[in-house]
Amino acid sequence: MTDDKKLYNAVNVYKTICDSLDAKGLNYNKEEDKLFVFFGIKGSEENIPLHTFISVDVDRQLVRLDSVLPFKMNEDKRVDGAIATGAANFGMVDGNFDYDMSDGTIRFSMTVSFIGSLIGEGLIDYLISCSCYTVDKYNDKFYDINEGKLSVADFIENE
């Protein structure tokens, strides 16, 4: 595929992402030259806010969604964080948690290829809703492990 065709496809996918966010009424920041958007979602007051990035990779023809948790695992809880994110990933159908052992960062990621495909707003809606559901399901648990309120053993037992 030529570079012009890749760019054309990527720009169309980026437009679909923005159209989907607009249709949902979400406020977001965008960097059009980088085919990148950022938005935050907060549920109820007791929920941890979700910080989400969506980018379009022109060369690899991918959409990537990342939701970074707004806290890092404490140094003395980093092994627990690795075990918990691994356990959470085990049964996941779509997406995964990435864990940086060096600084305790946890992020949820989903990637979709659009090579030879048409991407519609339904897929973008799915990426957003799936990531929100998954991050909301686990972020409080990861936070509680970090704070010593939940043991890894209890986390795994209730998985």
Side-chain angles (χ1 to χ4, degrees):
M1 185 180 308
T2 67
D3 288 344
D4 288 341
K5 180 73 171 168
K6 284 183 176 181
L7 180 60
Y8 176 81
N9 291 341
V11 168
N12 282 333
V13 169
Y14 181 74
K15 182 183 177 320
T16 300
I17 292 167
C18 293
D19 289 347
S20 179
L21 295 173
D22 291 340
K24 286 182 160 310
L26 291 173
N27 291 324
Y28 61 97
N29 297 316
K30 59 184 175 179
E31 295 182 31
E32 290 184 11
D33 58 322
K34 295 180 183 176
L35 304 179
F36 174 87
V37 297
F38 166 80
F39 57 95
I41 298 175
K42 181 151 172 63
S44 62
E45 285 301 314
E46 64 273 359
N47 284 347
I48 296 173
L50 308 175
H51 305 284
T52 303
F53 307 84
I54 303 176
S55 60
V56 179
D57 183 325
V58 176
D59 292 330
R60 296 187 296 169
Q61 300 284 275
L62 298 173
V63 174
R64 180 173 175 127
L65 178 146
D66 289 302
S67 187
V68 181
L69 274 63
F71 65 91
K72 295 181 180 186
M73 297 299 284
N74 297 326
E75 196 166 338
D76 64 327
K77 296 292 185 179
R78 300 242 171 106
V79 172
D80 289 349
I83 294 167
T85 54
N89 283 335
F90 183 73
M92 225 172 271
V93 175
D94 279 329
N96 62 280
F97 284 102
D98 296 324
Y99 182 68
D100 187 338
M101 189 80 170
S102 69
D103 72 358
T105 300
I106 302 172
R107 79 176 61 235
F108 179 76
S109 297
M110 294 180 77
T111 305
V112 175
S113 171
F114 55 88
I115 295 174
S117 302
L118 296 175
I119 298 292
E121 288 183 30
L123 179 63
I124 304 308
D125 292 346
Y126 173 75
L127 291 173
I128 293 168
S129 63
C130 182
S131 69
C132 288
Y133 170 80
T134 304
V135 172
D136 193 48
K137 177 179 177 181
Y138 289 103
N139 63 2
D140 293 330
K141 295 174 185 177
F142 295 149
Y143 183 81
D144 287 347
I145 289 169
N146 193 46
E147 296 297 310
K149 298 176 184 175
L150 178 65
S151 72
V152 174
D154 287 341
F155 174 85
I156 291 170
E157 184 178 313
N158 293 313
E159 242 334 85

PDB file of all heavy atoms in Angstrom, residues 1 5 21-22 29 41 45 56 68 91 93 108 130 135 147 157:
ATOM      1  N   MET A   1       0.850  -1.172   0.000  1.00  0.00           N
ATOM      2  CA  MET A   1       0.000   0.000   0.000  1.00  0.00           C
ATOM      3  C   MET A   1       0.900   1.241   0.000  1.00  0.00           C
ATOM      4  O   MET A   1       1.870   1.313   0.741  1.00  0.00           O
ATOM      5  CB  MET A   1      -0.889  -0.026   1.254  1.00  0.00           C
ATOM      6  CG  MET A   1      -1.897   1.080   1.313  1.00  0.00           C
ATOM      7  SD  MET A   1      -2.972   1.093   2.779  1.00  0.00           S
ATOM      8  CE  MET A   1      -3.619  -0.544   2.834  1.00  0.00           C
ATOM      9  N   LYS A   5      -1.993   6.349   0.228  1.00  0.00           N
ATOM     10  CA  LYS A   5      -3.193   5.556   0.530  1.00  0.00           C
ATOM     11  C   LYS A   5      -3.295   5.299   2.038  1.00  0.00           C
ATOM     12  O   LYS A   5      -4.380   5.390   2.616  1.00  0.00           O
ATOM     13  CB  LYS A   5      -3.142   4.233  -0.249  1.00  0.00           C
ATOM     14  CG  LYS A   5      -4.321   3.328  -0.023  1.00  0.00           C
ATOM     15  CD  LYS A   5      -5.555   3.841  -0.711  1.00  0.00           C
ATOM     16  CE  LYS A   5      -6.635   2.768  -0.620  1.00  0.00           C
ATOM     17  NZ  LYS A   5      -7.926   3.256  -0.994  1.00  0.00           N
ATOM     18  N   LEU A  21     -16.900  10.662  18.927  1.00  0.00           N
ATOM     19  CA  LEU A  21     -16.798  11.416  20.186  1.00  0.00           C
ATOM     20  C   LEU A  21     -17.782  12.586  20.188  1.00  0.00           C
ATOM     21  O   LEU A  21     -18.410  12.872  21.212  1.00  0.00           O
ATOM     22  CB  LEU A  21     -15.370  11.897  20.405  1.00  0.00           C
ATOM     23  CG  LEU A  21     -14.326  10.807  20.614  1.00  0.00           C
ATOM     24  CD1 LEU A  21     -12.924  11.389  20.646  1.00  0.00           C
ATOM     25  CD2 LEU A  21     -14.605  10.008  21.881  1.00  0.00           C
ATOM     26  N   ASP A  22     -17.911  13.261  19.053  1.00  0.00           N
ATOM     27  CA  ASP A  22     -18.882  14.354  18.943  1.00  0.00           C
ATOM     28  C   ASP A  22     -20.306  13.847  19.161  1.00  0.00           C
ATOM     29  O   ASP A  22     -21.097  14.472  19.874  1.00  0.00           O
ATOM     30  CB  ASP A  22     -18.783  15.032  17.570  1.00  0.00           C
ATOM     31  CG  ASP A  22     -17.494  15.825  17.382  1.00  0.00           C
ATOM     32  OD1 ASP A  22     -16.845  16.186  18.382  1.00  0.00           O
ATOM     33  OD2 ASP A  22     -17.136  16.069  16.201  1.00  0.00           O
ATOM     34  N   ASN A  29      -9.707  16.752  23.646  1.00  0.00           N
ATOM     35  CA  ASN A  29      -8.644  17.533  23.032  1.00  0.00           C
ATOM     36  C   ASN A  29      -8.100  16.718  21.876  1.00  0.00           C
ATOM     37  O   ASN A  29      -8.051  15.494  21.952  1.00  0.00           O
ATOM     38  CB  ASN A  29      -7.524  17.814  24.037  1.00  0.00           C
ATOM     39  CG  ASN A  29      -8.006  18.663  25.198  1.00  0.00           C
ATOM     40  OD1 ASN A  29      -8.720  19.634  24.995  1.00  0.00           O
ATOM     41  ND2 ASN A  29      -7.637  18.287  26.395  1.00  0.00           N
ATOM     42  N   ILE A  41     -13.184  10.670  31.443  1.00  0.00           N
ATOM     43  CA  ILE A  41     -14.548  10.297  31.815  1.00  0.00           C
ATOM     44  C   ILE A  41     -14.557  10.039  33.307  1.00  0.00           C
ATOM     45  O   ILE A  41     -13.679   9.354  33.824  1.00  0.00           O
ATOM     46  CB  ILE A  41     -15.018   9.030  31.057  1.00  0.00           C
ATOM     47  CG1 ILE A  41     -15.046   9.280  29.553  1.00  0.00           C
ATOM     48  CG2 ILE A  41     -16.395   8.586  31.555  1.00  0.00           C
ATOM     49  CD1 ILE A  41     -15.380   8.053  28.734  1.00  0.00           C
ATOM     50  N   GLU A  45     -18.877  10.051  42.035  1.00  0.00           N
ATOM     51  CA  GLU A  45     -17.825  10.698  42.834  1.00  0.00           C
ATOM     52  C   GLU A  45     -16.806   9.713  43.390  1.00  0.00           C
ATOM     53  O   GLU A  45     -15.641  10.031  43.512  1.00  0.00           O
ATOM     54  CB  GLU A  45     -18.453  11.501  43.980  1.00  0.00           C
ATOM     55  CG  GLU A  45     -19.088  12.792  43.534  1.00  0.00           C
ATOM     56  CD  GLU A  45     -18.123  13.733  42.845  1.00  0.00           C
ATOM     57  OE1 GLU A  45     -17.006  13.943  43.346  1.00  0.00           O
ATOM     58  OE2 GLU A  45     -18.493  14.264  41.781  1.00  0.00           O
ATOM     59  N   VAL A  56      -4.109   7.141  15.927  1.00  0.00           N
ATOM     60  CA  VAL A  56      -4.128   6.397  14.677  1.00  0.00           C
ATOM     61  C   VAL A  56      -2.686   6.294  14.185  1.00  0.00           C
ATOM     62  O   VAL A  56      -2.005   7.303  14.029  1.00  0.00           O
ATOM     63  CB  VAL A  56      -5.015   7.096  13.619  1.00  0.00           C
ATOM     64  CG1 VAL A  56      -5.007   6.316  12.314  1.00  0.00           C
ATOM     65  CG2 VAL A  56      -6.438   7.264  14.136  1.00  0.00           C
ATOM     66  N   VAL A  68      -4.762   5.364  30.928  1.00  0.00           N
ATOM     67  CA  VAL A  68      -3.731   5.311  31.962  1.00  0.00           C
ATOM     68  C   VAL A  68      -4.376   5.574  33.320  1.00  0.00           C
ATOM     69  O   VAL A  68      -5.087   6.570  33.498  1.00  0.00           O
ATOM     70  CB  VAL A  68      -2.629   6.358  31.686  1.00  0.00           C
ATOM     71  CG1 VAL A  68      -1.548   6.299  32.750  1.00  0.00           C
ATOM     72  CG2 VAL A  68      -2.042   6.155  30.298  1.00  0.00           C
ATOM     73  N   GLY A  91      -8.275 -13.670  31.792  1.00  0.00           N
ATOM     74  CA  GLY A  91      -9.572 -14.021  31.206  1.00  0.00           C
ATOM     75  C   GLY A  91     -10.157 -12.961  30.296  1.00  0.00           C
ATOM     76  O   GLY A  91     -11.299 -13.067  29.870  1.00  0.00           O
ATOM     77  N   VAL A  93     -11.189 -10.822  27.147  1.00  0.00           N
ATOM     78  CA  VAL A  93     -11.473 -11.116  25.747  1.00  0.00           C
ATOM     79  C   VAL A  93     -10.844 -10.056  24.841  1.00  0.00           C
ATOM     80  O   VAL A  93     -10.217 -10.376  23.835  1.00  0.00           O
ATOM     81  CB  VAL A  93     -13.000 -11.184  25.500  1.00  0.00           C
ATOM     82  CG1 VAL A  93     -13.309 -11.355  24.032  1.00  0.00           C
ATOM     83  CG2 VAL A  93     -13.606 -12.308  26.314  1.00  0.00           C
ATOM     84  N   PHE A 108      -4.495   0.483  30.440  1.00  0.00           N
ATOM     85  CA  PHE A 108      -5.299  -0.470  29.684  1.00  0.00           C
ATOM     86  C   PHE A 108      -5.172  -0.103  28.218  1.00  0.00           C
ATOM     87  O   PHE A 108      -5.271   1.068  27.849  1.00  0.00           O
ATOM     88  CB  PHE A 108      -6.773  -0.409  30.109  1.00  0.00           C
ATOM     89  CG  PHE A 108      -7.634  -1.360  29.349  1.00  0.00           C
ATOM     90  CD1 PHE A 108      -7.615  -2.712  29.642  1.00  0.00           C
ATOM     91  CD2 PHE A 108      -8.443  -0.919  28.324  1.00  0.00           C
ATOM     92  CE1 PHE A 108      -8.398  -3.614  28.924  1.00  0.00           C
ATOM     93  CE2 PHE A 108      -9.232  -1.804  27.600  1.00  0.00           C
ATOM     94  CZ  PHE A 108      -9.199  -3.155  27.910  1.00  0.00           C
ATOM     95  N   CYS A 130     -15.910  -0.627  26.042  1.00  0.00           N
ATOM     96  CA  CYS A 130     -15.171  -1.776  26.570  1.00  0.00           C
ATOM     97  C   CYS A 130     -14.058  -1.314  27.504  1.00  0.00           C
ATOM     98  O   CYS A 130     -13.865  -1.867  28.587  1.00  0.00           O
ATOM     99  CB  CYS A 130     -14.603  -2.610  25.428  1.00  0.00           C
ATOM    100  SG  CYS A 130     -13.720  -4.090  25.977  1.00  0.00           S
ATOM    101  N   VAL A 135     -11.659  -0.829  32.725  1.00  0.00           N
ATOM    102  CA  VAL A 135     -10.871  -0.012  33.656  1.00  0.00           C
ATOM    103  C   VAL A 135     -11.663   0.253  34.926  1.00  0.00           C
ATOM    104  O   VAL A 135     -11.128   0.157  36.035  1.00  0.00           O
ATOM    105  CB  VAL A 135     -10.412   1.303  32.988  1.00  0.00           C
ATOM    106  CG1 VAL A 135      -9.767   2.234  34.000  1.00  0.00           C
ATOM    107  CG2 VAL A 135      -9.434   1.001  31.859  1.00  0.00           C
ATOM    108  N   GLU A 147      -2.923   0.401  48.248  1.00  0.00           N
ATOM    109  CA  GLU A 147      -3.116   1.013  49.572  1.00  0.00           C
ATOM    110  C   GLU A 147      -3.106  -0.019  50.706  1.00  0.00           C
ATOM    111  O   GLU A 147      -3.258   0.345  51.875  1.00  0.00           O
ATOM    112  CB  GLU A 147      -4.430   1.796  49.598  1.00  0.00           C
ATOM    113  CG  GLU A 147      -4.453   2.982  48.653  1.00  0.00           C
ATOM    114  CD  GLU A 147      -3.413   4.027  49.017  1.00  0.00           C
ATOM    115  OE1 GLU A 147      -3.355   4.423  50.198  1.00  0.00           O
ATOM    116  OE2 GLU A 147      -2.652   4.446  48.118  1.00  0.00           O
ATOM    117  N   GLU A 157      -8.755 -14.622  44.159  1.00  0.00           N
ATOM    118  CA  GLU A 157      -9.862 -15.496  44.556  1.00  0.00           C
ATOM    119  C   GLU A 157     -11.197 -14.992  44.030  1.00  0.00           C
ATOM    120  O   GLU A 157     -12.069 -15.779  43.674  1.00  0.00           O
ATOM    121  CB  GLU A 157      -9.911 -15.608  46.081  1.00  0.00           C
ATOM    122  CG  GLU A 157     -10.973 -16.574  46.587  1.00  0.00           C
ATOM    123  CD  GLU A 157     -10.945 -16.694  48.106  1.00  0.00           C
ATOM    124  OE1 GLU A 157      -9.840 -16.865  48.660  1.00  0.00           O
ATOM    125  OE2 GLU A 157     -12.039 -16.615  48.699  1.00  0.00           O
TER     126      GLU A 157
END
